[in-house]
Amino acid sequence: MTRKQKRVSVIAAGLAFLGVATGLTFYALGQKASYFYMPADLATASLQPGQRIRLGGLVEKGTVERSQGATVAFSVTDNQKDVKVTYTGILPDLFREGQGVITEGSFGPDGVFVADSVLAKHDETYMPKEVADGLKAKGVWQESKSD
């Protein structure tokens, strides 16, 4: 093998390695993707059984029910539709009725959203971007303007 042939083979092997690494990275990221939905968006969404999604909106007032252990049931609403959610675990300290929330999980066979993580707003003016954009588009929520 000449010097030029060795150089070309090393470059070709390097490019092949980078191509495989890039392909595997995109494949792994595609498997981890969670799509964001508001409750009203679920009526038109075509979800596969067990597909992981993010469900966002406001915690509907009067729907938080705590059962034995760490299981909590509540509804997430966008003031058009609401979705029943169950979560087993410790809720964020700032989780409460009427506040913005994003839950991540999938729908169970009974049609109830089973969340494995719950994210709540963290201060008086913050609303998760996806939730705020969805609620603004529906005319339900407006940003508070500080002077």
Side-chain angles (χ1 to χ4, degrees):
M1 231 181 198
T2 67
R3 210 170 172 198
K4 186 176 181 180
Q5 290 173 331
K6 286 181 184 179
R7 188 179 315 137
V8 169
S9 63
V10 168
I11 290 173
L15 289 175
F17 175 77
L18 288 176
V20 169
T22 302
L24 289 174
T25 301
F26 282 122
Y27 177 75
L29 290 175
Q31 296 295 316
K32 195 71 172 155
S34 296
Y35 298 101
F36 179 80
Y37 294 96
M38 298 292 287
D41 298 338
L42 292 173
T44 59
S46 58
L47 299 175
Q48 303 298 324
Q51 180 180 351
R52 291 186 54 77
I53 65 167
R54 287 184 178 175
L55 174 67
L58 301 173
V59 178
E60 191 170 13
K61 293 186 181 195
T63 63
V64 177
E65 301 171 7
R66 299 180 190 274
S67 62
Q68 288 183 334
T71 301
V72 179
F74 56 93
S75 290
V76 173
T77 185
D78 59 1
N79 289 340
Q80 292 179 356
K81 300 244 183 199
D82 61 318
V83 175
K84 182 102 170 139
V85 177
T86 60
Y87 175 70
T88 302
I90 299 173
L91 288 169
D93 290 337
L94 296 174
F95 176 87
R96 60 184 172 269
E97 297 175 349
Q99 297 297 325
V101 68
I102 294 178
T103 59
E104 189 170 343
S106 60
F107 281 96
D110 56 355
V112 174
F113 189 78
V114 180
D116 53 34
S117 69
V118 174
L119 306 171
K121 64 182 247 158
H122 67 273
D123 71 17
E124 292 303 315
T125 59
Y126 176 75
M127 174 79 68
K129 181 176 179 2
E130 296 94 343
V131 174
D133 291 345
L135 292 174
K136 283 180 196 173
K138 294 177 183 355
V140 175
W141 185 74
Q142 295 178 0
E143 282 187 80
S144 60
K145 295 187 171 135
S146 55
D147 295 328

